[in-house]
Amino acid sequence: MNTDVVVIGGGYAGVMAANRLSRRDNVSVTLINPRATFVERIRLHQLVVGNDDAVVGYADVLAPSVRLVVDMVIEIDPDNRRLTLAAHRTVNYDYLIYAVGSGSADSQVPGAAEFAYPIATIEEAQRLRTILDATPATAAVTVVGSGPTGIEAAAELAEAGRTVTLICGDLLGPYLHPKGRRAVVKRMTKLGVTMVEGPAAKVTSVTHDAVHLADGTSLPSALTIWSVGFGVPDLATRSGLRTDSLGRLLTDETLTSIDDQRILAAGDSVAPSNLPFRMSCQAAGPLGAHAADTILSRMAEEEPAPINLGFAGQCISLGRHAGIFQFADKDDTAKKLYLGGRPGAKLKEFICKHTVKALTDEARKPGSYSWAKDDKRAVTLQGRPGKSLTTR
């Protein structure tokens, strides 16, 4: 009998899952995504300054047997295994993979929603590019948030000749090892980026022409970019499925919803055992592949395996001519070792291209994708107090 699997979300996790499922002839796979093209999210900072469009055609990354539906899911009906789309039609499923990804987090800072521009989605990046083009070249630009997105945006803008201030909060690049952080500071200083960090570097409000800090400082800002954290869509919550505090779908270690064995999740929108992995394309690919493997195991009446995912580190571009790869242990703890400068930029570009290539390769040869493992997660889970999350 044919099994209908629907994947919600056409990002790194969703495409990987859909491609991997295509290895079985008796599985019909439908991918539902609100956009007609695949977004290279890790290139959105490049889109803002105009040196990349950050999109790839789905024909290049999606297996030919996968049906693409360009629409938005507005409701999941688990009892009837049915989805309602924005176009007022419904889609039924036997299994569902929830891979809706993440976007900008809602800010509670006064004025941020009105006067600051987020950069987490392609629509936000395209709007920001239009605003940037209309902003005088000598005008002050402020980037709030010093995670990878903020650092990359600030560096790209500074390299393009903009006058940039980066509001770091307590610490620039919290993930980075101190040695790697010093290398980033050195590069940002060379680019002319003014970095504001420490307890006082907390934004209390944003106005149309300034950013106001906790110590009373007001920084002139003709254009303010907001890159503080990520949020996830509330589709799962609205559909009555249990989520964590951010709205990520709660699952067991096989990535199966704790509410419904026919629903799985992958990417930024999943919280296995309420202990989610870092939001990243590095985790998205393996999570998407594993969600697909869980479905294929159940179809074969085999026991699905728990997720086993190891990290390698974090790569950050610092303009087009420098970058850093911060090496990490498999449990995602940063090491002293890093690769910076021009070699770091080349490695970052290789990783960006390889990430898309991994999707393409999986589309051509489903089941070929593999990833690093980390057995320490099982030990961590065993040591947690209380009962572990399991499916019913």
Side-chain angles (χ1 to χ4, degrees):
M1 295 179 63
N2 199 66
T3 299
D4 292 318
V5 182
V6 176
V7 181
I8 307 177
Y12 297 103
V15 171
M16 179 60 75
N19 287 344
R20 200 168 185 90
L21 287 164
S22 69
R23 68 197 295 189
R24 290 282 294 267
D25 293 335
N26 62 338
V27 177
S28 296
V29 186
T30 300
L31 179 72
I32 303 176
N33 191 64
R35 306 175 189 90
T37 52
F38 175 81
V39 176
E40 284 193 88
R41 186 169 175 178
I42 52 181
R43 292 192 186 274
L44 289 181
H45 59 287
Q46 293 182 249
L47 187 157
V48 171
V49 299
N51 60 39
D52 200 286
D53 60 9
V55 295
V56 177
Y58 273 115
D60 294 327
V61 297
L62 203 58
S65 62
V66 176
R67 182 170 72 106
L68 175 66
V69 174
V70 181
D71 207 334
M72 179 175 290
V73 178
I74 60 174
E75 185 181 12
I76 302 169
D77 180 356
D79 292 335
N80 295 298
R81 296 181 197 162
R82 184 169 59 225
L83 308 174
T84 302
L85 309 187
H88 304 294
R89 54 178 168 166
T90 60
V91 176
N92 296 322
Y93 64 85
D94 294 312
Y95 285 98
L96 176 68
I97 295 182
Y98 187 80
V100 297
S102 62
S104 299
D106 292 333
S107 175
Q108 302 302 312
V109 175
E114 295 84 1
F115 303 113
Y117 296 88
I119 191 177
T121 68
I122 190 166
E123 291 82 9
E124 292 170 345
Q126 289 170 338
R127 181 178 69 150
L128 180 55
R129 180 177 176 181
T130 300
I131 299 297
L132 182 68
D133 289 343
T135 303
T138 57
V141 177
T142 303
V143 179
V144 182
S146 69
T149 302
I151 293 173
E152 291 185 327
E156 209 76 36
L157 289 162
E159 193 175 74
R162 295 285 177 168
T163 303
V164 181
T165 297
L166 178 62
I167 309 298
C168 304
D170 289 337
L171 192 66
L172 180 143
Y175 176 88
L176 299 170
H177 187 276
K179 290 185 65 176
R181 185 175 299 114
R182 286 193 290 270
V184 172
V185 169
K186 182 177 179 180
R187 172 61 180 173
M188 298 294 268
T189 301
K190 184 176 181 180
L191 288 171
V193 176
T194 300
M195 289 160 284
V196 182
E197 61 180 329
K202 178 183 178 181
V203 177
T204 55
S205 67
V206 180
T207 55
H208 74 282
D209 60 354
V211 174
H212 308 280
L213 304 183
D215 65 353
T217 302
S218 293
L219 302 175
S221 180
L223 174 60
T224 302
I225 299 172
W226 199 261
S227 64
V228 182
F230 293 105
V232 298
D234 65 350
L235 175 60
T237 303
R238 286 189 287 106
S239 300
L241 298 167
R242 281 181 284 179
T243 63
D244 71 357
S245 60
L246 287 183
R248 292 172 289 206
L249 189 69
L250 286 172
T251 73
D252 64 11
E253 286 294 288
T254 71
L255 307 185
T256 303
S257 166
I258 63 172
D259 296 313
D260 192 323
Q261 283 202 333
R262 294 283 180 153
I263 299 177
L264 296 95
D268 290 353
S269 54
V270 62
S273 301
N274 208 8
L275 188 67
F277 296 95
R278 173 166 53 90
M279 292 184 179
S280 63
C281 66
Q282 187 175 174
L287 289 170
H290 190 82
D293 287 346
T294 294
I295 291 175
L296 295 176
S297 293
R298 290 214 169 98
M299 288 178 60
E301 299 184 348
E302 298 172 352
E303 187 68 24
I307 181 65
N308 193 336
L309 166 59
F311 285 80
Q314 187 177 86
C315 55
I316 302 173
S317 65
L318 302 171
R320 295 298 87 207
H321 306 292
I324 181 172
F325 186 88
Q326 171 66 72
F327 288 91
D329 291 323
K330 289 182 179 180
D331 66 356
D332 207 23
T333 302
K335 298 180 178 180
K336 291 182 179 180
L337 182 64
Y338 72 90
L339 182 68
R342 184 63 179 170
K346 290 183 177 180
L347 180 56
K348 172 63 188 290
E349 181 61 23
F350 171 81
I351 289 172
C352 288
K353 291 180 177 178
H354 180 76
T355 301
V356 174
K357 184 178 182 298
L359 299 176
T360 302
D361 290 346
E362 186 69 12
R364 293 173 179 170
K365 190 178 180 182
S368 61
Y369 178 72
S370 62
W371 59 91
K373 307 297 192 293
D374 175 30
D375 296 327
K376 292 180 181 178
R377 180 176 174 86
V379 176
T380 300
L381 289 172
Q382 289 172 2
R384 295 178 72 193
K387 296 180 181 180
S388 60
L389 294 170
T390 57
T391 55
R392 67 183 184 186

